[in-house]
Amino acid sequence: MKVVVLGAGAIGSVSATLLSKSPVVERLVIADRSLEAAKNLAEKLDRGRVEAMRVDASKVDAMVEAFKGFDLVLNLVLPRFNLKIMDACLKGGVHYMDAATDLALAKEKPGETVKAPPEALQLAYDDAFQKVGLTALLGMGQDPGISNIMARVGADRLDEVQEIEVRDGDAGTVEGYEFASLWSVDTLIEEVLMPALAFREGQLIRLGSLEGEEIFDFPPPVGPLTVYNVDHEETNTLPLTIGKGLQSMDFKIAIPEDLAHALKVFQRFGLHRGHPIEVEVKSTGERVKVAPRDVLAALMPDPKTLSDKAKGHAALAVVVRGLKAQGKAGWMFWMTLNHQECYRKYGFNATSYPVGAPMAMAAEMMARGEISRRGAFPPESLDPAPFLKRLPEYGIVIQEKRLT
């Protein structure tokens, strides 16, 4: 298989590193808007099989030309470019895969019902991809991705599905910092302060930012963490695909309580905004334009410098409850990774590795014919068994327990 990894950032680095060692990948290109970034990553890998290319994800025709002769594009750039990259893959006859959707497209206010979530725009490509015999696998990272597969496994065991909970918890710390994000600070601020999407009583609704505070007891060694409702891809697709009478579904992520309270204050003052405003530098009298969110991000450590410094464990858990043989039943599925151990084994921490690894795994599965469905769809639309078989090969083990 000939693969383009579009995006030379943290997640693209994971996927590219794994695919550069794959026996089923005959040609691998790292593509990025910055040729320097693409070259830097390619040079770290097998130079005989890995090339670098400059690609601007905002230009469809240029991407069509760049993707010629390839079988698959792994889209690991900002989700705002998803639709243009899908258009380029359709025109160029190339399979497509991504790890996230453009949640910022949501326009509803807290309390309003949602007729079509943002990912519906990508799911609408289903017929077009089917007609030309192509696959577009949407949200194939950790969460979304592994989380969707866990949910599907639980749903398959029940006669009726009543509730699905997806919970993301990282108890990792970085010495010398009270708080340090292991993923993009800009994305962190934007994502957690968006009105969250939830599925209640059979309909999608918008919640306010950082609502639904509760303590979730993650399996050891992570333990109990405070979690909050956050907008996420699973809530875009699981209510549409699982069926079986599903009535309630949401996503919550662990955030330190003091950070959650600080973010609410930042939001109140508009410090979370990503658009530049003009300000006067009091010490010089100079007037400059700067986005308030960029200032907050600049005051925090760069996640790229923290890859080998994180300690502790990260967990992902999915709870599925419902009825089986007319009695109540449920399961919890989970995975945990240790940051230091993950870095020693793979060269990446437990935040970036489990997002990029499933992308590489799914690419290899497509090359082997283990994923043959055509169209545009999320991971839970596929048989979960092949995924569960392959994940341990990448150091990701799914555990489970039956709930009473």
Side-chain angles (χ1 to χ4, degrees), residues 258-272:
D258 54 352
L259 176 63
H261 295 152
L263 287 171
K264 289 179 181 179
V265 174
F266 296 156
Q267 185 179 41
R268 201 168 299 154
F269 284 97
L271 294 172
H272 67 299

Side-chain angles (χ1 to χ4, degrees), residues 146-157:
I146 296 175
S147 53
N148 302 61
I149 293 164
M150 293 178 180
R152 168 68 189 272
V153 173
D156 284 352
R157 295 178 182 178

Side-chain angles (χ1 to χ4, degrees), residues 133-147:
L134 293 173
T135 294
L137 181 52
L138 310 177
M140 192 56 240
Q142 180 186 27
D143 51 336
I146 296 175
S147 53

Side-chain angles (χ1 to χ4, degrees), residues 119 123 136-156 164 166 232-243 246 249 318 371 373 376-385 387:
E119 195 155 345
L123 294 171
L137 181 52
L138 310 177
M140 192 56 240
Q142 180 186 27
D143 51 336
I146 296 175
S147 53
N148 302 61
I149 293 164
M150 293 178 180
R152 168 68 189 272
V153 173
D156 284 352
I164 298 175
V166 181
H232 230 252
E233 287 83 356
E234 292 91 337
T235 322
N236 279 244
T237 65
L238 289 173
L240 305 177
T241 57
I242 291 297
L246 178 65
M249 189 267 145
V318 175
I371 296 176
R373 176 171 171 162
F377 50 86
E380 70 269 19
S381 298
L382 298 169
D383 178 2
F387 291 100

